[in-house]
Amino acid sequence: MADPTDPPAPPDQQPWPRTPGQPSSWTPGWAPPPDGTPPPAGAWPPQTQPYGVPYGTEPPQPPRPARNPVPTPPGPPKMLRLELGLVLLLAFAPGILGLLVLALGADGSSEVDTKLVPSVISIGFELFLSWSPVLVIGFLLARNREGWPGIGLTRFRGADLGMGGLLWLASFVLVLVLAQLFRFFGQREVDFLPEGLPLWFRSIQAVLIAVTAGVTEEIVVRGYAQTRLEQLRAPAAVVLLLPTAMWGVLHVYQGVGAALTIFGLGLMYAWYFQRTRRLWPLILAHILFDMTQLVFILAGV
C-alpha cells in the first residue's frame, strides 16, 4: 500500500490502469484491492463518450427523418425515361384499350358472363395483366441494384398500420365529399361482382380485386412512377399530377364523375407519398378502401 505522504506517481505509473483517453488524475494514496473493487467516487473524473454523454449511457440517436430519401439515379436520364415509359405502358395500355373499345362500340351494358369456368379464366387473365408491371419493376430494381426500399417499400413498422387506418378513414370522407361535387358529371354502374356467381366465388373475387388493386396500383403509380420522376428532376407538380392523372383516366369507364373523384383521392395519396416516401400505409389504405366497397356490394348495400 502506498504511503499517503508519498508524492503522486507519474501518470504512466499510477496503480489504477488507465484506458486510452482516460483522464490521468487519481486519488493519491489509493490503490486497487486484489478483488478488483472499482475505485471510489472521485478517484477518476467521469469519462464521456462523443456528444458529452458519460460511459454506460446510450448516446443520443439522431432523429428519424420525416421523409425517406430519394435514391441516387441508377443510370442516365435516357435510361430512366425508357424504363418509366415501359412500366407505364404495361400498366395502362390494357385499360386504355378497354376505354377505346367502350368508346367505339359499346355503351357499357354488355352482359357479364356468369358461368364459373369462364369467370375463373377471365380473372386469371386480369390478374396476369395487373401484376405484370410489378414483376417488371422488380426485375428493373434488381438489375439496377436498387431494391424495393428505393421506391418506398421499406421495413414494415407498427406505425404504418395505424397510418394506413387513418388514410382509409380519410379516403372515405374525401370520396363522399368529391362524389357530391362531381355528381353532375355522371357515374356508370359497374358490375364488379356478378350476382349470378356463387357467393363463395364472389367473396374470393372481392379479396383478389382489392389486394391486387391496392398493391399493384400503389407500387406502379406512387412508388415507382413518382420516384423515377423525382430522379429525373421533374417539378413537384408534375410528380404529383402526371401519374395520378393517368390513374384517374383509367377509371373513366365508371363515368366522368367517378374518374374525377378517384383523381382527387389519388392526389391525397400522391401528396402523402411525396411527403413521406413510405408506401405501406398507402397500400393498406387502398386495400381496405376497395375491400369495404366490395363488401357493401356483396351485402347489397
Side-chain angles (χ1 to χ4, degrees):
M1 181 74 68
D3 190 338
T5 61
D6 292 341
D12 56 349
Q13 299 178 8
Q14 293 178 11
W16 185 261
R18 291 185 295 116
T19 57
Q22 189 176 33
S24 59
S25 61
W26 63 296
T27 301
W30 186 90
D35 59 358
T37 304
W44 297 103
Q47 292 180 268
T48 59
Q49 309 176 72
Y51 312 106
V53 178
Y55 278 99
T57 60
E58 291 293 331
Q61 299 297 323
R64 178 177 292 170
R67 183 178 192 263
N68 290 328
V70 179
T72 304
K78 182 179 180 180
M79 184 194 79
L80 297 183
R81 285 192 290 267
L82 289 175
E83 291 183 355
L84 178 59
L86 172 63
V87 170
L88 295 180
L89 180 65
L90 288 174
F92 296 133
I96 294 175
L97 181 61
L99 291 176
L100 290 175
V101 172
L102 184 64
L104 291 176
D107 58 358
S109 60
S110 57
E111 184 178 353
V112 179
D113 196 337
T114 57
K115 295 181 180 180
L116 190 58
V117 174
S119 296
V120 171
I121 296 175
S122 176
I123 292 175
F125 183 68
E126 292 176 1
L127 290 176
F128 171 77
L129 292 179
S130 297
W131 285 95
S132 292
V134 176
L135 296 177
V136 172
I137 289 174
F139 168 77
L140 294 175
L141 294 177
R143 189 197 65 178
N144 299 335
R145 297 182 180 180
E146 296 175 272
W148 293 102
I151 64 169
L153 281 175
T154 53
R155 180 179 298 179
F156 186 84
R157 301 199 305 247
D160 294 333
L161 187 61
M163 183 55 65
L166 291 177
L167 287 171
W168 171 44
L169 295 176
S171 300
F172 269 102
V173 174
L174 181 62
V175 166
L176 288 175
V177 173
L178 295 179
Q180 291 299 315
L181 292 176
F182 299 132
R183 67 183 185 275
F184 299 108
F185 290 93
Q187 185 172 347
R188 182 181 295 110
E189 293 294 333
V190 179
D191 195 3
F192 290 105
L193 304 172
E195 295 184 0
L197 293 170
L199 180 60
W200 65 267
F201 181 81
R202 297 168 69 214
S203 301
I204 295 175
Q205 184 182 8
V207 174
L208 290 175
I209 291 174
V211 173
T212 297
V215 175
T216 61
E217 292 178 7
E218 294 307 319
I219 287 178
V220 173
V221 179
R222 251 66 69 176
Y224 186 79
Q226 288 191 211
T227 298
R228 281 292 185 254
L229 288 173
E230 281 201 77
Q231 291 173 330
L232 291 169
R233 300 182 182 276
V238 174
V239 174
L240 294 174
L241 293 175
L242 180 60
T244 306
M246 297 181 69
W247 184 56
V249 167
L250 288 184
H251 294 81
V252 171
Y253 68 92
Q254 299 181 34
V256 177
L260 291 174
T261 299
I262 292 173
F263 172 74
L265 177 63
L267 281 181
M268 183 183 75
Y269 287 177
W271 172 83
Y272 176 84
F273 184 77
Q274 178 77 355
R275 186 173 180 271
T276 64
R277 287 190 48 78
R278 291 196 64 80
L279 207 55
W280 282 117
L282 293 174
I283 290 176
L284 291 174
H286 196 151
I287 292 175
L288 291 173
F289 181 78
D290 287 357
M291 192 69 235
T292 305
Q293 294 190 89
L294 294 172
V295 168
F296 287 159
I297 294 175
L298 289 174
V301 178

